[in-house]
Structures are given as structure tokens and as C-alpha cells.
Amino acid sequence: QEQLVESGGGLVQAGGSLRLSCVDSGHESYVMGWFRQAPGKEREFVAGITWDGKTNYTDSVKGRFTISRDNAKNTVSLQMNSLNPEDTAVYYCVAGVLLMRGERWYNSWGRGTQVTVAS
């Protein structure tokens, strides 16, 4: 059974940085990525990366967040810089079959890690 476990969330001041990591204990997935859900808002796609390094980012994080993966270790990371309070959310690690922004393309989800950005 595939299991995704996130780490690296926490509290940071606006303008600061955090790095999220996720280990996939199951089989290797073609796509790994991150979604987030802010209080009172719908869950949204943040970034995704394919096994061969293709990436996709939502517009609001382009230039600030960088996704990477280590195929040998079955891990994906999200380096988040220049954080602002609007980035406050629970961040979920995902694994799926296509690099798309819709939730239905992702069949494995982690439990989430809280990121809070203080103003």
C-alpha cells in the first residue's frame, strides 16, 4: 500500500523560506506533487514534477517555489521562498499518473503538513 509522508511544515515570518519533503513508501509514481488548502478555501494544485523532470506550477508560486524529486529515494521536495501570508495552508503531498492540476489525476495523498506564514 502506497503511503506518502510529509515533513517540513511550520511557522515562518513573511519573506522567509521553508522546505517541504515527502517520502513515498510505495511504488514509484510517474508524477509527484503538492496541493494545498487554506482555511475556508478549496484545495488547489501547487506544483508537480514527472519522473523525468517536467514541472508545472500554479501561477501564484512561480518564481518563488521550486519542486524537485529524487527518484532513487522516492522523495519529492518543495522549496518555498519569499513566503507570504497567502501561502498559509495545509500542504498535501500527492502521487499520480499525469501532470495535471486536477485532483482526480492523483491517486495517493499524504495526510498534510501545516505551513503558517506570519505577517
Side-chain angles (χ1 to χ4, degrees), residues 49-96:
I49 185 168
T50 64
W51 184 88
D52 52 353
K54 297 182 181 64
T55 60
N56 191 359
Y57 296 91
T58 193
D59 288 348
S60 63
V61 307
K62 285 180 180 177
R64 301 189 298 123
F65 291 11
T66 302
I67 190 169
S68 60
R69 69 186 286 175
D70 184 334
N71 292 331
K73 298 181 179 178
N74 248 10
T75 61
V76 63
S77 297
L78 187 67
Q79 178 66 41
M80 305 185 295
N81 299 329
S82 301
L83 285 161
N84 58 61
E86 289 70 39
D87 295 314
T88 295
V90 177
Y91 284 70
Y92 297 90
C93 178
V94 296

Side-chain angles (χ1 to χ4, degrees), residues 10-30:
L11 172 65
V12 65
Q13 294 292 316
S17 299
L18 278 176
R19 185 177 180 87
L20 305 182
S21 295
C22 172
V23 178
D24 184 348
S25 63
H27 63 80
E28 188 175 73
S29 298
Y30 179 62

